[in-house]
PDB file of all heavy atoms in Angstrom:
ATOM      1  N   GLN A 293       0.980  15.685 -19.482  1.00  0.00           N
ATOM      2  CA  GLN A 293       1.433  16.898 -18.812  1.00  0.00           C
ATOM      3  C   GLN A 293       2.815  17.300 -19.285  1.00  0.00           C
ATOM      4  O   GLN A 293       3.088  18.461 -19.548  1.00  0.00           O
ATOM      5  CB  GLN A 293       1.441  16.669 -17.304  1.00  0.00           C
ATOM      6  CG  GLN A 293       1.671  17.940 -16.533  1.00  0.00           C
ATOM      7  CD  GLN A 293       1.488  17.713 -15.048  1.00  0.00           C
ATOM      8  OE1 GLN A 293       1.760  16.637 -14.532  1.00  0.00           O
ATOM      9  NE2 GLN A 293       1.009  18.720 -14.360  1.00  0.00           N
ATOM     10  N   VAL A 294       3.703  16.300 -19.400  1.00  0.00           N
ATOM     11  CA  VAL A 294       5.051  16.635 -19.858  1.00  0.00           C
ATOM     12  C   VAL A 294       5.005  17.184 -21.276  1.00  0.00           C
ATOM     13  O   VAL A 294       5.651  18.165 -21.601  1.00  0.00           O
ATOM     14  CB  VAL A 294       5.960  15.384 -19.811  1.00  0.00           C
ATOM     15  CG1 VAL A 294       7.297  15.686 -20.425  1.00  0.00           C
ATOM     16  CG2 VAL A 294       6.143  14.944 -18.380  1.00  0.00           C
ATOM     17  N   LYS A 295       4.172  16.568 -22.119  1.00  0.00           N
ATOM     18  CA  LYS A 295       4.092  17.031 -23.498  1.00  0.00           C
ATOM     19  C   LYS A 295       3.546  18.443 -23.609  1.00  0.00           C
ATOM     20  O   LYS A 295       3.932  19.203 -24.478  1.00  0.00           O
ATOM     21  CB  LYS A 295       3.178  16.090 -24.303  1.00  0.00           C
ATOM     22  CG  LYS A 295       3.769  14.763 -24.626  1.00  0.00           C
ATOM     23  CD  LYS A 295       3.854  14.556 -26.127  1.00  0.00           C
ATOM     24  CE  LYS A 295       5.024  13.662 -26.439  1.00  0.00           C
ATOM     25  NZ  LYS A 295       5.073  13.231 -27.813  1.00  0.00           N
ATOM     26  N   LEU A 296       2.603  18.783 -22.711  1.00  0.00           N
ATOM     27  CA  LEU A 296       1.956  20.078 -22.840  1.00  0.00           C
ATOM     28  C   LEU A 296       2.735  21.203 -22.188  1.00  0.00           C
ATOM     29  O   LEU A 296       2.399  22.360 -22.350  1.00  0.00           O
ATOM     30  CB  LEU A 296       0.543  20.030 -22.227  1.00  0.00           C
ATOM     31  CG  LEU A 296      -0.499  19.298 -23.041  1.00  0.00           C
ATOM     32  CD1 LEU A 296      -1.830  19.340 -22.332  1.00  0.00           C
ATOM     33  CD2 LEU A 296      -0.643  19.951 -24.400  1.00  0.00           C
ATOM     34  N   THR A 297       3.768  20.868 -21.411  1.00  0.00           N
ATOM     35  CA  THR A 297       4.517  21.935 -20.762  1.00  0.00           C
ATOM     36  C   THR A 297       5.511  22.512 -21.745  1.00  0.00           C
ATOM     37  O   THR A 297       6.297  21.778 -22.331  1.00  0.00           O
ATOM     38  CB  THR A 297       5.294  21.387 -19.544  1.00  0.00           C
ATOM     39  OG1 THR A 297       4.425  20.564 -18.801  1.00  0.00           O
ATOM     40  CG2 THR A 297       5.799  22.499 -18.694  1.00  0.00           C
ATOM     41  N   PRO A 298       5.494  23.836 -21.903  1.00  0.00           N
ATOM     42  CA  PRO A 298       6.463  24.447 -22.823  1.00  0.00           C
ATOM     43  C   PRO A 298       7.874  24.072 -22.409  1.00  0.00           C
ATOM     44  O   PRO A 298       8.170  23.957 -21.224  1.00  0.00           O
ATOM     45  CB  PRO A 298       6.234  25.956 -22.645  1.00  0.00           C
ATOM     46  CG  PRO A 298       4.936  26.096 -21.978  1.00  0.00           C
ATOM     47  CD  PRO A 298       4.638  24.835 -21.262  1.00  0.00           C
ATOM     48  N   ARG A 299       8.726  23.879 -23.390  1.00  0.00           N
ATOM     49  CA  ARG A 299      10.042  23.338 -23.087  1.00  0.00           C
ATOM     50  C   ARG A 299      10.801  24.157 -22.051  1.00  0.00           C
ATOM     51  O   ARG A 299      11.551  23.620 -21.259  1.00  0.00           O
ATOM     52  CB  ARG A 299      10.870  23.235 -24.374  1.00  0.00           C
ATOM     53  CG  ARG A 299      11.593  21.904 -24.466  1.00  0.00           C
ATOM     54  CD  ARG A 299      12.295  21.716 -25.782  1.00  0.00           C
ATOM     55  NE  ARG A 299      11.375  21.567 -26.888  1.00  0.00           N
ATOM     56  CZ  ARG A 299      11.599  22.076 -28.090  1.00  0.00           C
ATOM     57  NH1 ARG A 299      12.688  22.753 -28.337  1.00  0.00           N
ATOM     58  NH2 ARG A 299      10.733  21.912 -29.059  1.00  0.00           N
ATOM     59  N   GLY A 300      10.567  25.438 -22.063  1.00  0.00           N
ATOM     60  CA  GLY A 300      11.319  26.274 -21.129  1.00  0.00           C
ATOM     61  C   GLY A 300      10.952  26.052 -19.682  1.00  0.00           C
ATOM     62  O   GLY A 300      11.716  26.345 -18.775  1.00  0.00           O
ATOM     63  N   LEU A 301       9.736  25.504 -19.457  1.00  0.00           N
ATOM     64  CA  LEU A 301       9.285  25.375 -18.085  1.00  0.00           C
ATOM     65  C   LEU A 301       9.495  23.981 -17.523  1.00  0.00           C
ATOM     66  O   LEU A 301       9.230  23.710 -16.384  1.00  0.00           O
ATOM     67  CB  LEU A 301       7.795  25.716 -17.985  1.00  0.00           C
ATOM     68  CG  LEU A 301       7.452  27.173 -18.185  1.00  0.00           C
ATOM     69  CD1 LEU A 301       5.945  27.339 -18.172  1.00  0.00           C
ATOM     70  CD2 LEU A 301       8.058  28.022 -17.092  1.00  0.00           C
ATOM     71  N   ARG A 302       9.953  23.064 -18.373  1.00  0.00           N
ATOM     72  CA  ARG A 302      10.096  21.684 -17.895  1.00  0.00           C
ATOM     73  C   ARG A 302      11.215  21.601 -16.889  1.00  0.00           C
ATOM     74  O   ARG A 302      12.317  22.069 -17.137  1.00  0.00           O
ATOM     75  CB  ARG A 302      10.415  20.750 -19.072  1.00  0.00           C
ATOM     76  CG  ARG A 302       9.185  20.493 -19.874  1.00  0.00           C
ATOM     77  CD  ARG A 302       9.366  19.375 -20.859  1.00  0.00           C
ATOM     78  NE  ARG A 302       8.319  19.477 -21.866  1.00  0.00           N
ATOM     79  CZ  ARG A 302       8.385  18.952 -23.064  1.00  0.00           C
ATOM     80  NH1 ARG A 302       9.473  18.302 -23.410  1.00  0.00           N
ATOM     81  NH2 ARG A 302       7.404  19.090 -23.900  1.00  0.00           N
ATOM     82  N   ARG A 303      10.910  20.981 -15.768  1.00  0.00           N
ATOM     83  CA  ARG A 303      11.919  20.984 -14.706  1.00  0.00           C
ATOM     84  C   ARG A 303      12.778  19.737 -14.685  1.00  0.00           C
ATOM     85  O   ARG A 303      13.720  19.648 -13.916  1.00  0.00           O
ATOM     86  CB  ARG A 303      11.243  21.159 -13.358  1.00  0.00           C
ATOM     87  CG  ARG A 303      10.961  22.625 -13.105  1.00  0.00           C
ATOM     88  CD  ARG A 303      10.540  22.843 -11.686  1.00  0.00           C
ATOM     89  NE  ARG A 303       9.195  22.353 -11.465  1.00  0.00           N
ATOM     90  CZ  ARG A 303       8.760  21.920 -10.295  1.00  0.00           C
ATOM     91  NH1 ARG A 303       9.574  21.890  -9.260  1.00  0.00           N
ATOM     92  NH2 ARG A 303       7.534  21.493 -10.139  1.00  0.00           N
ATOM     93  N   ASN A 304      12.436  18.760 -15.524  1.00  0.00           N
ATOM     94  CA  ASN A 304      13.235  17.540 -15.480  1.00  0.00           C
ATOM     95  C   ASN A 304      14.475  17.632 -16.310  1.00  0.00           C
ATOM     96  O   ASN A 304      15.190  16.697 -16.467  1.00  0.00           O
ATOM     97  CB  ASN A 304      12.381  16.358 -15.953  1.00  0.00           C
ATOM     98  CG  ASN A 304      11.531  15.866 -14.805  1.00  0.00           C
ATOM     99  OD1 ASN A 304      11.631  16.386 -13.724  1.00  0.00           O
ATOM    100  ND2 ASN A 304      10.716  14.872 -15.056  1.00  0.00           N
TER     101      ASN A 304
END
Side-chain angles (χ1 to χ4, degrees):
Chain A
Q293 190 172 32
V294 174
K295 286 241 150 171
L296 285 180
T297 314
R299 225 174 292 143
L301 290 175
R302 284 192 198 158
R303 278 191 287 152
N304 278 358

